[in-house]
Amino acid sequence: MAIRGKFITFEGGEGSGKSTQIKILAEFLRDSDIEVVETREPGGSSNAEAIREYLLSGQAEGKGAKAEAMLFAAARLDHVEQVIEPALKRGTWVLCDRFMDSTRVYQGMDLDSETINVLEKIAVGDCKPDLTILLDLPAKTGLKRAASRASDAQKDRFEKEGEHIHEGRRKVFLKLAHSAPGRIFVFDATKDIKTLSADIWKRCRKQFGVRLKHQR
């Protein structure tokens, strides 16, 4: 039986550089002879990608926070069952751009914790991250970065929201990190890409004992 893979999630506000750091970490892990799956939320599986398009287009926004959270949970359930859990069982490591913590931040600010807990239990079950990388930076900086890569017409439902909303979410992310110190680690996303990726790799080395092939 294969040794179960590790599940690493990346969280943070808009423009924090999650996708870039996931690609770099995936390269480091592959250089260590570790099989890796890179995925994202909402999305990651065919059904979840369809829900992603609906959510990020803003069509679900008028239905309220509870309906939106339920859609995210439905997408996550399919993603876990079709992609994440099978990969982990065969010993593959999974790197995911957003997961359950994003729901606690983005929808949890408008919903009671009991509803969020129930939806998380249904969608996630025991498939929880072994490590969560929280990329932290001021909302103003993140939104400026996001704006540089997309026009107003290309911005998704969340990128269009105001700076004060995103700064509020940043505070909730940091509060979550404080409540789960053994799983969520905060990294300064204002650092340059190379320095930040080195910091993340050091955490993975310490957490899981992985080494590049040329390291001793």
Side-chain angles (χ1 to χ4, degrees):
M1 183 179 293
I3 297 175
R4 186 175 176 84
K6 301 300 182 183
F7 184 19
I8 303 175
T9 57
F10 283 69
E11 299 284 2
E14 309 304 322
S16 57
K18 300 184 304 304
S19 59
T20 297
Q21 292 301 327
I22 284 175
K23 290 183 182 300
I24 294 172
L25 179 58
E27 291 177 4
F28 281 152
L29 291 171
R30 289 180 181 121
D31 283 343
S32 302
D33 292 329
I34 294 172
E35 184 178 345
V36 180
V37 165
E38 300 168 58
T39 189
R40 67 177 183 178
E41 288 209 348
S45 61
S46 57
N47 290 331
E49 286 292 334
I51 297 174
R52 174 190 177 89
E53 184 175 348
Y54 181 70
L55 283 165
L56 298 190
S57 70
Q59 295 180 70
E61 186 176 3
K63 299 182 182 301
K66 183 175 288 188
E68 195 170 56
M70 291 175 71
L71 285 167
F72 273 102
R76 181 164 298 131
L77 176 61
D78 191 74
H79 189 203
V80 167
E81 291 182 344
Q82 299 301 319
V83 177
I84 298 174
E85 189 60 34
L88 294 173
K89 284 183 177 178
R90 65 175 181 264
T92 301
W93 287 36
V94 176
L95 308 184
C96 189
D97 185 340
R98 298 199 183 283
F99 196 60
M100 61 187 193
D101 296 305
S102 277
T103 292
R104 290 194 170 275
V105 172
Y106 281 74
Q107 287 73 53
M109 290 178 69
D110 299 312
L111 286 176
D112 61 279
S113 58
E114 183 178 357
T115 297
I116 293 295
N117 289 339
V118 169
L119 291 175
E120 184 177 296
K121 184 176 181 180
I122 292 171
V124 176
D126 294 327
C127 189
K128 295 184 178 180
D130 298 293
L131 170 65
T132 296
I133 305 295
L134 174 56
L135 301 181
D136 175 60
L137 80 171
K140 184 176 182 178
T141 304
L143 290 173
K144 185 176 180 180
R145 288 182 182 178
S148 68
R149 69 182 186 223
S151 66
D152 288 342
Q154 294 173 319
K155 289 180 180 178
D156 65 35
R157 159 189 171 353
F158 299 106
E159 290 174 336
K160 292 178 179 178
E161 293 176 321
E163 181 184 324
H164 69 287
I165 294 176
H166 289 284
E167 191 60 37
R169 288 173 180 151
R170 178 193 183 194
K171 293 177 181 178
V172 179
F173 267 127
L174 292 173
K175 185 177 180 181
L176 278 176
H178 182 74
S179 70
R183 174 176 69 84
I184 305 176
F185 292 84
V186 181
F187 293 82
D188 181 359
T190 65
K191 291 183 177 181
D192 65 87
I193 292 174
K194 186 174 181 180
T195 300
L196 180 56
S197 64
D199 290 344
I200 292 171
W201 180 240
K202 287 177 184 177
R203 166 44 51 187
C204 289
R205 289 175 57 188
K206 185 173 183 179
Q207 194 96 348
F208 306 118
V210 291
R211 294 286 188 275
L212 294 175
K213 285 185 290 187
H214 65 269
Q215 291 178 326
R216 293 290 183 267

